[in-house]
């Protein structure tokens, strides 16, 4: 009879959560992760929005990321780089809490928490439901954020911005980009997980406890996914800022394909990668934090 090794312990997945981790803890952890993810690189996100705007005003034409930073800080002041961040703080916490809560609830309902077998369908369905619910809550806050980020914005608070947008454009202004957001988020998440699995296996084949490589793999995966999904992000920006445009075509853009055709006619295929550098720079530390 084989002797029992007193030092032997059960295998523990350091990337997973303990079985006693309740739904409330999931929501709280998700809320804090979401706020940290969206605020840590917020000034770079503002630069991304400025670079992505189609037909900007004469004072908002930039030759690149560095030029955008120096021009904005010199003319508008350093504090302008944080304009609209309140919307992210208010929206990201609840949205990420809803994401994690929905994910765990759906996975539990589909039997995905049974650790004895693999449940790819439960994981995929849980992720899809969580994304749909989270983005539905976050989308209006993202619209408000970008309306406050653009050059010449006169909105001082998120409530003031929300009221003006609602009175001038109606409720649809907050959700005209929602289908595009979902079309972007799904491949972004898939690419991120795929890249993370590959990079983590290369950097840490033994899957030993190593927070540094864990974060590095998450950051690289986020940057990879962000870069490839930039075209959809540019389309989303056009739809979310259309109410401020002087071009009648942009103001009347009603969906992904119309917005895409405007970008193609205006800038060619290169227009779909406007702001790709700050998008990647923003995504890498943000996803490293969340991983």
């Amino acid at each position: 009879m084989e002797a029992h090794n007193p030092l032997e312990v059960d295998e523990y997945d350091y990337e997973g959560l303990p079985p006693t981790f309740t739904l409330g803890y999931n929501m709280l952890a998700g809320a804090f992760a979401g706020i940290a993810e969206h605020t840590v690189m917020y000034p770079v996100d503002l630069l991304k929005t400025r670079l992505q705007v189609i037909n900007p005003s004469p004072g908002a034409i930039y030759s690149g990321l560095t030029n955008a930073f120096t021009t904005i800080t010199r003319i508008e002041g350093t504090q302008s780089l944080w304009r609209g961040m309140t919307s992210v703080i208010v929206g990201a916490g609840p949205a990420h809490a809803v994401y994690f809560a929905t994910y765990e609830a759906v996975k539990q309902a589909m039997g995905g928490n049974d650790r004895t077998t693999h449940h790819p369908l439960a994981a995929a369905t849980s992720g899809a439901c969580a994304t749909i619910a989270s983005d539905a809550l976050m989308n209006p806050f993202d619209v408000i954020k970008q309306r406050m980020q653009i050059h010449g914005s006169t909105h001082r608070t998120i409530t003031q911005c929300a009221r003006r947008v609602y009175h001038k454009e109606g409720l649809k202004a907050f959700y005209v980009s929602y289908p595009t957001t979902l079309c972007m988020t799904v491949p972004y998440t898939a690419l991120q997980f795929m890249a993370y699995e590959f990079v983590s296996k290369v950097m840490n084949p033994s899957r030993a406890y190593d927070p540094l490589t864990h974060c590095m793999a998450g950051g690289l995966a986020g940057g990879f996914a962000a870069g490839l999904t930039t075209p959809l992000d540019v389309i989303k920006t056009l739809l979310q800022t259309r109410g401020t445009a002087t071009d009648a075509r942009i103001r009347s853009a009603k969906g992904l394909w119309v917005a895409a055709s405007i970008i193609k006619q205006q800038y060619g295929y290169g227009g779909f990668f406007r702001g790709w550098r700050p998008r990647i720079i923003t995504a890498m530390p943000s996803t490293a934090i969340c991983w």
Side-chain angles (χ1 to χ4, degrees):
M1 181 176 178
E2 185 179 353
H4 175 69
N5 183 0
L7 298 179
E8 186 177 336
V9 295
D10 293 335
E11 184 179 354
Y12 176 68
D13 181 7
Y14 77 91
E15 296 181 20
L17 295 174
T20 57
F21 214 69
T22 66
L23 180 61
Y25 284 128
N26 270 300
M27 294 181 69
L28 190 61
F32 279 111
I35 293 172
E37 175 190 353
H38 287 281
T39 57
V40 68
M41 296 293 288
Y42 187 83
V44 184
D45 181 74
L46 181 139
L47 297 177
K48 174 188 72 79
T49 296
R50 293 290 187 96
L51 291 169
Q52 287 182 342
V53 170
I54 307 300
N55 289 344
S57 58
I61 299 176
Y62 314 108
S63 60
L65 181 60
T66 303
N67 177 253
F69 174 78
T70 55
T71 302
I72 293 170
T73 53
R74 177 170 50 85
I75 297 176
E76 303 175 46
T78 307
Q79 73 280 356
S80 64
L81 296 173
W82 302 94
R83 187 183 299 157
M85 191 179 71
T86 308
S87 181
V88 168
I89 294 174
V90 173
H96 280 69
V98 166
Y99 180 93
F100 281 93
T102 304
Y103 181 86
E104 290 300 325
V106 175
K107 189 171 72 169
Q108 176 67 30
M110 296 187 67
N113 287 330
D114 181 4
R115 295 176 179 268
T116 60
T117 56
H118 185 49
H119 299 277
L121 179 60
T125 305
S126 302
C129 292
T131 298
I132 292 170
S134 175
D135 285 347
L137 179 59
M138 187 63 194
N139 211 81
F141 291 99
D142 200 48
V143 172
I144 294 169
K145 178 199 75 173
Q146 290 201 307
R147 291 296 182 97
M148 296 182 73
Q149 285 180 333
I150 60 176
H151 178 263
S153 173
T154 57
H155 305 300
R156 297 304 174 194
T157 65
I158 60 174
T159 53
Q160 179 197 50
C161 180
R163 286 172 181 167
R164 287 185 180 178
V165 173
Y166 178 76
H167 287 312
K168 289 183 178 181
E169 304 169 52
L171 184 63
K172 63 181 180 180
F174 296 105
Y175 283 99
V176 66
S177 63
Y178 180 53
T180 303
T181 300
L182 291 179
C183 289
M184 178 183 70
T185 305
V186 172
Y188 174 85
T189 303
L191 288 167
Q192 184 182 4
F193 273 92
M194 179 184 68
Y196 173 77
E197 288 296 326
F198 174 78
V199 175
S200 62
K201 285 180 181 178
V202 172
M203 298 182 65
N204 188 14
S206 65
R207 297 189 70 82
Y209 178 68
D210 190 347
L212 180 60
T213 57
H214 183 59
C215 290
M216 288 179 64
L220 291 171
F224 172 76
L228 290 183
T229 55
T230 298
L232 289 165
D233 191 54
V234 176
I235 294 171
K236 180 171 73 74
T237 297
L238 184 148
L239 292 172
Q240 293 189 165
T241 60
R242 66 175 191 166
T244 63
T246 55
D247 190 324
R249 294 178 306 159
I250 297 176
R251 291 185 66 88
S252 61
K254 295 181 179 179
L256 190 157
W257 297 111
V258 176
S261 66
I262 293 173
I263 296 169
K264 171 66 169 56
Q265 292 173 7
Q266 190 80 13
Y267 297 103
Y269 289 109
F272 291 102
F273 286 92
R274 294 166 64 88
W276 68 271
R277 287 186 180 89
R279 177 165 165 80
I280 291 175
I281 293 171
T282 301
M284 291 184 71
S286 299
T287 50
I289 288 173
C290 282
W291 277 105

